[in-house]
Amino acid sequence: LDAELSYVRNDVINHYALSFNLLIPSETNNLHFTWHAKSKVEYKLGFQVHDPVAMALPQANISLQGEVPRTLSVFCVELSCTGRLDSDVTILMQLNLTMNSSKNITVLNFKRRKMCYKKLEPEVKSPTADKNSSKALFDPINAAPTTSTRVFYISVGVCCAVIFLVAIILAVLHLHSMKRIELDDSISDSSSSQGLSQPSTQTTQYLRADTPNNATPVTSKCYPTLRIEKNDLKSVTLMEAKAKVKDIAISRERITLKDVLQEGTFGRIFHGILIEEKDPSKEKQVFVKTVK
């Protein structure tokens, strides 16, 4: 996962990120965590492995208990497979944080999964087998005459199998392309019939302002929408689209981002404040979604 994943930011726990059970590639043996604390925070670190035969207990390059460093630091956790068997191992790293008093304890559980594979041991030849093999000599006169025939039949069979697979793949691609052409024709026919039956002045909503699923639907206020004719959807250029979107665009200076409500790998949802354009003294509570 080539991305930054924050579990605690500005003293707020990201439970959404902690719910992920991330899969670790089999070739990755070390995990690195970056942490620091503004005030005195004591920690206690522990590990659990559901299959100790396939993976040894994880080891950290820091002590299992102590004080969180005040400066930005990195600690490493080693996940090493034993190589005894193939298994999908589940690892749990638990970090207990204590602030101010012994009663104020925060528990963070980090879940990981790693596929461990059994090591293949090299074959050990017995000395007797070496002696027997050394005594075996090739006799061209008494050799079986069917060796070349077998090789020929095997090569012919492999060629036939490859040709058969290629024919099946081409047939499937041909059927898929035919279905796609028929679907495009049906869509174009239906759209053309709708264009003939409906007047050209009819419009459809192109952009709309959505609220999150957990927000209360607003029915008394009208949100700005952008309407363009159906027949002009394919003919709109980039400059024309920017000009149409300009009517509903909101200046970045009017939005102030607050707390992070949810965070994923490629996006975040913020709680923000929107300043009224006509009356800067008035503010609205809004939700802002960012994507990277």
Side-chain angles (χ1 to χ4, degrees):
L1 183 64
D2 187 12
E4 177 185 345
L5 191 59
S6 299
Y7 294 101
V8 179
R9 179 187 282 115
N10 297 329
D11 300 333
V12 178
I13 301 175
N14 188 352
H15 296 281
Y16 183 71
L18 285 172
S19 65
F20 286 142
N21 190 359
L22 294 181
L23 179 63
I24 303 173
S26 58
E27 64 272 10
T28 301
N29 297 322
N30 295 317
L31 298 180
H32 297 86
F33 294 87
T34 304
W35 65 341
H36 79 286
K38 299 177 182 178
S39 58
K40 183 178 180 181
V41 178
E42 296 180 356
Y43 74 90
K44 188 175 182 181
L45 189 63
F47 300 96
Q48 291 182 5
V49 177
H50 91 285
D51 194 350
V53 179
M55 176 181 288
L57 196 66
Q59 300 292 328
N61 63 345
I62 59 174
S63 58
L64 296 182
Q65 60 182 1
E67 184 177 345
V68 180
R70 302 293 179 90
T71 59
L72 203 63
S73 305
V74 178
F75 69 90
C76 176
V77 176
E78 182 180 358
L79 307 176
S80 300
C81 297
T82 60
R84 297 179 182 177
L85 50 85
D86 296 342
S87 177
D88 188 1
V89 184
T90 301
I91 308 107
L92 176 65
M93 185 180 81
Q94 188 177 83
L95 183 64
N96 296 340
L97 302 174
T98 305
M99 299 175 59
N100 300 331
S101 63
S102 58
K103 296 181 180 180
N104 189 2
I105 300 177
T106 302
V107 181
L108 302 178
N109 292 319
F110 305 91
K111 303 175 183 178
R112 295 293 186 272
R113 288 175 51 234
K114 183 178 180 180
M115 192 68 192
C116 292
Y117 297 99
K118 185 178 180 180
K119 293 182 179 179
L120 298 177
E121 297 180 358
E123 296 182 358
V124 179
K125 295 183 179 180
S126 61
T128 57
D130 294 336
K131 292 180 180 179
N132 295 333
S133 61
S134 62
K135 293 180 180 179
L137 299 176
F138 178 73
D139 187 1
I141 299 177
N142 298 324
T146 58
T147 303
S148 59
T149 307
R150 290 178 182 175
V151 173
F152 174 77
Y153 283 127
I154 290 174
S155 60
V156 170
V158 171
C159 294
C160 293
V162 171
I163 294 173
F164 182 71
L165 290 177
V166 171
I168 291 178
I169 293 174
L170 291 177
V172 171
L173 293 177
H174 178 70
L175 292 176
H176 182 71
S177 61
M178 292 297 294
K179 289 182 179 180
R180 186 173 181 180
I181 292 173
E182 292 177 359
L183 181 61
D184 293 339
D185 292 340
S186 62
I187 293 175
S188 61
D189 292 340
S190 61
S191 62
S192 61
S193 62
Q194 290 178 0
L196 292 174
S197 60
Q198 297 177 355
S200 61
T201 56
Q202 184 176 359
T203 59
T204 182
Q205 182 171 330
Y206 183 66
L207 293 176
R208 62 190 177 88
D210 278 338
T211 56
N213 295 331
N214 57 357
T216 305
V218 181
T219 56
S220 61
K221 296 183 180 180
C222 295
Y223 287 91
T225 58
L226 173 63
R227 295 179 179 272
I228 62 176
E229 295 186 7
K230 288 182 178 178
N231 297 334
D232 293 339
L233 278 176
K234 296 182 179 180
S235 62
V236 174
T237 63
L238 180 61
M239 297 302 296
E240 293 174 349
K242 287 184 177 180
K244 291 179 180 293
V245 175
K246 185 178 180 181
D247 297 336
I248 64 171
I250 296 176
S251 175
R252 176 65 178 86
E253 299 175 353
R254 294 172 52 199
I255 300 175
T256 302
L257 300 181
K258 294 296 185 180
D259 301 331
V260 179
L261 302 180
Q262 288 188 355
E263 180 175 358
T265 304
F266 303 107
R268 297 174 183 171
I269 296 180
F270 292 85
H271 170 247
I273 296 176
L274 175 63
I275 300 175
E276 290 286 351
E277 185 176 7
K278 297 180 179 179
D279 189 359
S281 61
K282 294 183 179 180
E283 298 178 348
K284 285 183 178 180
Q285 304 292 328
V286 296
F287 297 97
V288 181
K289 182 175 182 179
T290 61
V291 180
K292 59 179 177 181

